[in-house]
Amino acid sequence: MSEPEDELLPELDLRLTQENLEDLYEHAPCGYCTCLPDGTLVKLNHTLLTWLGYEVQELVARKCLQELFTIGGRLHYEMHCAPLLLLQDQVREISYTLRRKDGSTLPVLMNAVLLRDIDKQPLAVRITLFDITDRRKYEQELLRAKVQAEEQSKQLARANELLVTKNEQLTRINSDLDSFVYTASHDLKQPVTNMAGLFQELKRTATFHDPDAAGMMSMFEEALQQILGTIEGLTEVVQQQRELEQVSVDVVELRPFTEDIIRSLHPSEHEAGFTLDFSAVPRLRMARPSLHSMLYNLLSNALKYASPDRRPQVRVSTAQGDKEVIISVQDNGRGIDLARHGSELFQLFRRFHPEVVGSGMGLYLVNRLVHQAGGRVEVESEVSSGTTFHIFLPQ
């Protein structure tokens, strides 16, 4: 220690220890008052008088405690509080509203103690009052917030009910549309097939002298084949959707599964180079028919829309996301102008390379199957450079 340990502390001023009890009572942070058992006021501190705006001579022996309350407070005091005081000699934390001299109000919390004489008869009541203006505002704000939350909850419940109803309607509409498409395509297939047969017989037996007849015949035959292809595609989409709803989920080893799909492609397309990288996610839990249709359509498109200027190169790989598996199919083909066709990419019958034969249903089917599995499809593409499809599947 820097100072000698035996150095005396300054002498304490004993006046600091002398408290004025009357001053403590008068200027306490709460209101004090004393009244007779009938409520007649006999003493009030300065704090309470300041709150009320009265002078002491206006209240002492002139008014009762209950007269300082609002009408509802008076009734409560006389019918509940006063009998309770007589029964148990005290009450605690009862909320009342005082009415000031100017007519304004002040919310308070009241504690009361009943004093008795030596014969156990009621002598006086000591009252302590706490200003709870801020607390009352806070309670009112909480109440308003609660009412708003309840109203929002009701609105959300109504919105959820409406959403469920809309979903049910959409499900029924989709089911009806699928049934309609399947029935219409099935009913149209036979007449169109008959027309194709009749046309072949007409080509075999009829003779046309018009020099333009051959071209027109060829155009008519192409139109027939296009109609047949469209009908078969529609039937396949609906039929496959119905079949997939009944298929169970399975664990698929991706490398042999993808190799089987590549082998199933047309032999002339085997000139393409395939790179498979499933090291990040070697197996996937999914319905086999769904996965087969996704990969088959993407791989066949990669070969179908290959660039005529270079050997097709196709890479299939997997990556692990936070809560999803990503399957990517990348090619070096013709590419797609996403700025022009991006919004139409997965629409039914949409084709972006008219010079290549196709039905325009492959990407529609891929997108539909991915969404059915709870995932999404993202596309990167550059014209004349190639396209990459990223399939995000939940795990």
Side-chain angles (χ1 to χ4, degrees):
M1 297 177 62
S2 60
E3 298 180 357
E5 294 184 3
D6 57 352
E7 183 177 342
L8 296 177
L9 294 173
E11 184 176 337
L12 185 64
D13 189 345
L14 295 179
R15 288 176 301 175
L16 299 176
T17 66
Q18 296 175 0
E19 293 286 358
N20 186 333
L21 298 181
E22 184 65 22
D23 184 69
L24 287 175
Y25 172 82
E26 290 294 339
H27 298 93
C30 55
Y32 289 121
C33 67
T34 303
C35 62
L36 299 178
D38 64 357
T40 302
L41 291 166
V42 295
K43 189 175 183 180
L44 301 91
N45 73 341
H46 182 267
T47 300
L48 181 56
L49 290 170
T50 302
W51 287 355
L52 296 172
Y54 284 103
E55 297 295 332
V56 65
Q57 60 270 18
E58 295 180 277
L59 297 179
V60 172
R62 291 180 178 274
K63 286 185 178 292
C64 295
L65 172 67
Q66 50 270 40
E67 292 181 71
L68 301 179
F69 298 149
T70 58
I71 295 176
R74 295 178 196 175
L75 293 173
H76 183 273
Y77 182 85
E78 292 172 356
M79 299 182 65
H80 175 77
C81 186
L84 196 60
L85 267 173
L86 292 173
L87 182 65
Q88 60 186 29
D89 292 346
Q90 68 174 356
V91 293
R92 295 180 58 81
E93 297 188 350
I94 298 181
S95 178
Y96 286 113
T97 300
L98 299 178
R99 186 171 295 281
R100 296 187 178 100
K101 185 178 179 179
D102 61 7
S104 61
T105 58
L106 175 71
V108 295
L109 202 63
M110 186 188 82
N111 292 336
V113 176
L114 176 64
L115 303 178
R116 296 179 183 271
D117 59 20
I118 58 175
D119 295 325
K120 304 298 182 181
Q121 294 301 311
L123 180 63
V125 180
R126 286 180 179 170
I127 307 292
T128 305
L129 300 167
F130 298 94
D131 182 355
I132 58 169
T133 301
D134 293 338
R135 171 176 167 176
R136 182 67 59 82
K137 290 180 180 178
Y138 179 66
E139 289 174 346
Q140 291 173 347
E141 290 174 0
L142 285 179
L143 183 59
R144 283 195 295 270
K146 180 183 177 184
V147 171
Q148 291 176 355
E150 290 175 348
E151 180 59 29
Q152 291 175 354
S153 178
K154 291 177 182 178
Q155 292 177 358
L156 183 60
R158 289 193 293 268
N160 285 337
E161 291 176 1
L162 182 61
L163 183 60
V164 169
T165 302
K166 292 294 184 183
N167 284 338
E168 291 175 351
Q169 290 176 352
L170 287 174
T171 300
R172 288 195 298 270
I173 291 171
N174 284 336
S175 178
D176 292 343
L177 284 175
D178 284 348
S179 298
F180 171 77
V181 169
Y182 183 77
T183 302
S185 60
H186 182 271
D187 292 345
L188 287 172
K189 185 175 182 180
Q190 188 60 46
V192 175
T193 302
N194 292 340
M195 287 174 63
L198 290 171
F199 181 72
Q200 292 299 324
E201 184 63 20
L202 180 65
K203 284 175 60 178
R204 188 181 67 84
T205 59
T207 302
F208 299 94
H209 301 288
D210 190 335
D212 296 330
M216 295 177 63
M217 296 282 283
S218 178
M219 292 172 59
F220 186 78
E221 186 172 17
E222 288 178 5
L224 277 177
Q225 293 303 319
Q226 188 175 4
I227 293 174
L228 277 172
T230 300
I231 292 173
E232 289 175 357
L234 286 171
T235 305
E236 179 185 355
V237 167
V238 178
Q239 190 169 0
Q240 191 169 36
Q241 174 76 18
R242 291 179 174 179
E243 290 174 354
L244 289 174
E245 292 174 354
Q246 318 249 334
V247 175
S248 60
V249 174
D250 196 6
V251 177
V252 180
E253 294 287 342
L254 291 175
R255 177 171 288 277
F257 187 82
T258 307
E259 289 173 346
D260 287 342
I261 294 175
I262 294 172
R263 282 192 292 269
S264 71
L265 297 174
H266 197 275
S268 64
E269 296 169 335
H270 285 179
E271 297 176 359
F274 286 91
T275 302
L276 306 182
D277 181 8
F278 300 115
S279 56
V281 183
R283 59 190 61 84
L284 184 65
R285 184 173 177 80
M286 191 173 179
R288 284 178 176 271
S290 271
L291 185 59
H292 184 279
S293 183
M294 292 178 200
L295 291 177
Y296 181 86
N297 277 286
L298 292 179
L299 291 173
S300 62
N301 277 359
L303 299 178
K304 183 187 301 181
Y305 298 102
S307 172
D309 303 327
R310 53 185 172 269
R311 180 171 178 258
Q313 295 289 339
V314 184
R315 174 183 171 82
V316 186
S317 61
T318 55
Q320 180 67 61
D322 292 337
K323 295 182 180 179
E324 54 195 2
V325 170
I326 306 163
I327 302 176
S328 299
V329 179
Q330 180 182 9
D331 65 55
N332 64 340
R334 300 169 186 252
I336 304 170
D337 186 351
L338 294 180
R340 182 179 177 186
H341 302 298
S343 61
E344 307 171 341
L345 195 60
F346 299 110
Q347 291 182 10
L348 194 60
F349 303 130
R350 296 298 295 165
R351 300 177 63 243
F352 312 108
H353 298 285
E355 70 277 12
V356 180
V357 177
S359 64
M361 284 185 288
L363 291 183
Y364 167 81
L365 186 57
V366 169
N367 189 55
R368 181 166 178 172
L369 292 173
V370 172
H371 278 278
Q372 183 183 352
R376 70 185 192 279
V377 184
E378 294 183 1
V379 185
E380 300 173 14
S381 189
E382 185 177 345
V383 176
S384 301
S385 295
T387 303
T388 303
F389 289 89
H390 300 288
I391 299 175
F392 296 79
L393 296 172
Q395 288 292 295

